[in-house]
């Protein structure tokens, strides 16, 4: 067996109602002054107030930064880090979707003031130390609560990643009640994103693709494929929501150590230029990238088919691609790039952009050229 490294969040607190423990956990394990990083939509939805209440009742002094937006630009990260310094925060809590959690990670790093954002873009450049960090997701998708990654939008359209083990939080709190109100479209898109994490981790060409990640990816895909319909169409089903949140976390643990590839590389330009949410961007290119990769990972796709879609067990790679495409369609997601307003003549520009995502493309199980990417986008258009 080739050697490998596996890092994950050391403390997982999982279950319905666990948000009520956030005060006690913060007081014991984070520190007496905490900055909560979140977004205004969650404040309006009433999800933030109970958390603040629990914190204050436990004697924790709290300040809130609630200006995180989707695909957060650098200014959001820098403003939030300033807020942490001004308040004298000794710890950070991220509460929200992937964007809030990513910003919280960077705030915990940058608030110490020993590193700047431009210095840490890339793999392994952020050294820390950082402030103690707890992340509580309100979507079942990114798995950010267990990954070493934070994505920032730089300039007008480009995305850059900070990837470093120092960004893995100390504590992940997964309370499925926080996801009950997520609308069907967002539930479907974030759920498909989590499935992509599992699939790309399982077939990653990374030298660190490892048996722990593959075991987690199989179980993640099983949970996600069996529960996504109920979560989308019956949003208050707490069992389905719990399974999705767990599945997304397992997929996060998998790809944190066996990184994602071309689906994500091709998804980023769609989000960057046309504001399409990350999960939907992934869903739009997913079947086409899988079909492209099938010659390189046929047996692996057949294995995943058996785990995720037991009723189709024994099928081949093409059956797996069909099962995934059917699932995406039946969740009500848009299916083509044209459906989300992308013009046909944007394909070449997006392909150029996708080719710049070398951090991701090196992990693809089949080598990808510019012409390949253009053909995949054209098939998805
Ligand atoms: Zn993703």
């Amino acid at each position: 067996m080739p050697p490998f490294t596996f890092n994950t969040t050391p403390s997982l607190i999982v279950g319905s109602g666990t948000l009520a423990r956030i005060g006690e956990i913060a007081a014991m394990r984070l520190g007496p002054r905490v900055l909560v990083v979140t977004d205004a939509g969650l404040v309006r939805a009433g999800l933030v107030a109970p958390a603040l209440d629990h914190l204050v009742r436990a004697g924790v002094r709290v300040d809130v930064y609630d200006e995180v937006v989707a695909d957060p630009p650098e200014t959001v990260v820098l403003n939030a880090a300033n807020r942490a310094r001004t308040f004298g925060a000794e710890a950070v809590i991220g509460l929200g979707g992937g964007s809030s959690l990513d910003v919280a990670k960077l705030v915990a790093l940058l608030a110490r003031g020993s590193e700047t954002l431009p210095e840490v873009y890339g793999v392994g450049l952020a050294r820390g130390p950082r402030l103690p960090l707890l992340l509580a997701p309100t979507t079942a998708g990114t798995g950010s609560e267990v990954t070493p990654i934070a994505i920032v939008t730089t300039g007008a359209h480009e995305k850059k990643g900070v990837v470093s083990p120092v960004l893995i939080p100390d504590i992940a709190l997964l309370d499925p009640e926080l996801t009950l109100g997520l609308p069907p479209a967002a539930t479907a898109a974030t759920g498909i994103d989590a499935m992509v994490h599992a699939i790309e981790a399982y077939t990653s060409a990374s030298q660190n693709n490892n048996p722990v990640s593959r075991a987690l990816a199989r179980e993640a895909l099983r949970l996600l494929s069996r529960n996504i319909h109920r979560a989308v169409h019956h949003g208050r089903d707490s069992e389905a929501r719990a399974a999705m949140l767990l599945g997304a976390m397992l997929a996060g643990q998998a790809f944190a150590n066996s990184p994602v590839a071309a689906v994500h590389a091709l998804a980023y330009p769609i989000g960057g230029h046309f504001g399409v949410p990350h999960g939907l961007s992934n869903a739009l290119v997913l079947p086409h990238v899988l079909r492209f990769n099938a010659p390189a990972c046929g047996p692996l796709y057949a294995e995943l088919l058996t785990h995720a879609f037991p009723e189709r067990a024994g099928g081949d790679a093409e059956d797996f691609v069909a099962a995934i495409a059917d699932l995406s369609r039946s969740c009500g997601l848009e299916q083509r790039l044209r459906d989300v307003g992308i013009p046909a003549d944007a394909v070449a520009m997006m392909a150029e952009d996708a080719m710049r995502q070398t951090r991701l493309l090196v992990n693809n199980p089949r080598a990808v050229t510019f012409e390949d990417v253009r053909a995949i986008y054209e098939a998805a258009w």
Side-chain angles (χ1 to χ4, degrees):
M1 179 172 48
F4 66 91
T5 304
F6 189 89
N7 294 315
T8 195
T9 303
S11 181
L12 308 173
I13 295 155
V14 184
S16 225
T18 43
L19 186 71
R21 292 178 52 200
I22 199 168
E24 152 217 339
I25 292 162
M28 275 177 56
R29 296 169 60 187
L30 293 180
R33 293 177 78 87
V34 174
L35 181 75
V36 173
V37 175
T38 186
D39 69 75
L42 283 184
V43 173
R44 278 195 301 276
L47 287 185
V48 178
L52 300 182
D53 211 43
H54 296 308
L55 288 164
V56 170
R57 272 195 278 143
V60 178
R61 296 195 59 188
V62 188
D63 193 10
V64 182
Y65 179 86
D66 65 1
E67 292 165 51
V68 177
V69 292
D71 305 308
E74 287 180 315
T75 50
V76 163
V77 175
L78 299 176
N79 290 344
N82 271 335
R83 184 69 161 267
R85 274 191 293 268
T86 310
F87 176 60
E90 291 168 67
V92 178
I93 290 177
L95 177 65
S99 299
S100 289
L101 304 193
D102 282 11
V103 172
K105 286 169 166 172
L106 292 172
V107 169
L109 179 75
L110 300 175
R112 303 274 308 224
S114 51
E115 290 168 287
T116 66
L117 193 50
E119 286 168 1
V120 297
Y121 286 128
V123 179
L125 299 177
R127 300 253 162 86
R130 58 155 173 76
L131 298 179
L133 177 63
L134 179 151
L135 299 181
T138 58
T139 64
T142 66
S144 181
E145 70 277 8
V146 289
T147 73
I149 306 162
I151 305 290
V152 180
T153 303
T154 57
H157 301 302
E158 212 188 328
K159 297 212 177 186
K160 285 189 181 168
V162 180
V163 185
S164 164
V166 77
L167 292 189
I168 296 175
D170 305 295
I171 304 169
L173 188 149
L174 287 89
D175 184 344
E177 286 181 23
L178 295 173
T179 68
L180 290 180
L182 198 65
T187 302
T190 50
I192 294 281
D193 182 36
M195 294 180 73
V196 175
H197 296 156
I199 296 166
E200 293 210 287
Y202 199 71
T203 59
S204 180
S206 162
Q207 288 196 337
N208 204 57
N209 185 337
N210 65 85
V212 180
S213 283
R214 291 194 296 277
L216 293 166
R218 279 194 297 268
E219 176 63 4
L221 203 60
R222 189 186 71 82
L223 284 166
L224 295 164
S225 64
R226 290 187 191 181
N227 289 282
I228 191 168
H229 273 133
R230 269 200 296 155
V232 169
H233 300 296
H234 307 279
R236 309 298 300 182
D237 183 328
S238 56
E239 283 301 312
R241 291 293 194 180
M244 292 299 291
L245 195 57
L246 183 61
M249 186 199 72
L250 297 176
Q253 291 179 311
F255 91 89
N257 298 281
S258 178
V260 293
V263 179
H264 274 73
L266 270 70
Y268 279 133
I270 300 173
H273 291 281
F274 300 101
V276 177
H278 174 71
L280 180 55
S281 301
N282 273 304
L284 290 167
V285 293
L286 174 59
H288 308 283
V289 176
L290 293 182
R291 205 164 281 128
F292 173 81
N293 283 342
C297 36
L300 296 177
Y301 286 169
E303 285 170 25
L304 289 179
L305 179 72
T306 300
H307 283 283
F309 305 95
E311 69 284 3
R312 303 195 197 203
D316 60 11
E318 199 39 54
D319 296 318
F320 179 64
V321 179
I324 292 288
D326 290 349
L327 191 74
S328 165
R329 201 173 302 115
S330 64
C331 286
L333 289 171
E334 284 95 336
Q335 294 298 304
R336 311 200 63 88
L337 296 179
R338 70 182 86 164
D339 298 340
V340 295
I342 296 178
D345 61 8
V347 161
M349 175 270 291
M350 291 197 304
E352 266 172 44
D353 246 31
M355 289 305 289
R356 279 198 280 275
Q357 297 288 340
T358 49
R359 167 180 82 83
L360 302 168
L361 290 175
V362 292
N363 303 317
N364 203 56
R366 185 178 170 192
V368 189
T369 67
F370 173 81
E371 283 307 321
D372 294 331
V373 174
R374 190 154 79 174
I376 292 169
Y377 277 136
E378 276 166 3
W381 192 79

